Amino acid sequence: MMSFEHLRAMEGPLPVGIGLTAAIVAALEDEPLILTVAATGEDARAALPSGPFDPVRHRTFEIGLRAWVAEQTGVTLGYVEQLYTFGDRGRHARAGDRDPHVVSVGYLALTRIAEGASEIRGFRSWYEFFPWEDWRGGRPELMEKAILPGLSAWVEEAPDALSSSGLRRRDRVNLLFRPQGRGLDEENVLERYELLYEAGLVEEAWRDGREAALRRGVKPPPLGAPMQHDHRRILATAMGRLRAKMKYRPVIFELMPPAFTLTELQRTVEAIAGRHLHKQNFRRLVETSAAVEPTGEMSLKTGGRPAALFHFRRNVLQERPAPGLRVGIRG
């Protein structure tokens, strides 16, 4: 297979390469983590692990993904799910640039960090990149200080203009950010990011030459850490998929250790969902799901009274059509 370097040197139409990009999620101490790779060259922004698909070495995309992730990062992937194919013009190419246009197949992958691990190199909280998605401590200050004022200014530029979704700007802002003080639909991570991008409020919009960003004449203040290429869009897609998926499939247990307390489970679910859950309501949800059962052992790491340890019941996959944790939507 030709490398991207060989494709770059070819004449004629812009060459196209196929890449694989992984949003690899773990959870540790109540924090959802995403694996990033070290920046290369002059671009200091974080990136998701990514690399070319080699059909000679790998029979399928997923086999290729698992192989090079293990080689590149040393991380063994558990659950893997294809997200979407990201190939929009501009995700890599620029006018006059002969670099190959890379069409990337994005994946959501889950892994566990070993208990007592001394280092978690490359893992960063996904809320570094999406701070407005973390409502566990209440409404983020960033909403009032930067996001809503910026979106209001964008709406006032053309109050009746239709956005890319076909909705009026004001209706779209109200639907996705609900400035009246209500909470968010936690699954719409990608839609919120794309609205901020369209309004020119994230650094990627400035970098990509979006009209709304350039009209301001100044670089927007940072709303979360930017990422290389369209990797923050890929991460947003993965976050929304995982938040939705854990409501009807038991994927959350791919992030848990073999034995855990119900408090640990709740904190992990809260970390992924980005919001606080009522303790007794959550325990009723767990009981109704029939997804866990006690191990008969106790945890002494609680700092107080010993707590019962549980483990995931894999038989629930055959017993129930949708054995997830239906945490619901805040409204």
Side-chain angles (χ1 to χ4, degrees), residues 20 24 35 37 49-54 57-58 62-77 121:
L20 304 172
I24 303 172
L35 182 60
V37 294
S50 59
F53 171 64
D54 184 346
R57 293 177 56 203
H58 307 124
E62 184 177 324
I63 290 173
L65 181 83
R66 290 181 181 274
W68 66 250
V69 165
E71 294 171 5
Q72 185 181 43
T73 69
V75 172
T76 301
L77 301 182
R121 184 178 304 167

Side-chain angles (χ1 to χ4, degrees), residues 79-81 108 110 187 240-256 265 268-269 272 282 285-286 289-292 312-328:
Y79 177 91
V80 171
E81 173 183 346
L108 165 65
L110 306 182
E187 298 176 23
R241 178 73 63 85
L242 182 54
R243 285 178 167 186
K245 193 93 174 185
M246 70 178 181
K247 296 177 182 178
Y248 61 91
R249 298 296 293 171
V251 292
I252 194 68
F253 298 103
E254 299 290 340
L255 302 174
M256 301 299 299
L265 177 60
T268 301
V269 171
I272 298 299
F282 177 78
L285 284 171
V286 172
S289 74
V292 304
F312 172 52
R313 288 183 62 248
R314 295 204 173 270
N315 286 344
V316 75
L317 295 169
Q318 285 76 47
E319 297 168 359
R320 298 173 64 89
L325 298 177
R326 297 181 175 274
V327 295

Side-chain angles (χ1 to χ4, degrees), residues 21 50 77 82 96 106 110 113 126 150-151 155 180 188 217 235 247 324:
T21 302
S50 59
L77 301 182
Q82 189 175 127
L110 306 182
I113 295 176
W126 73 20
L151 289 175
V155 168
Q180 295 82 2
N188 290 336
L235 176 54
K247 296 177 182 178

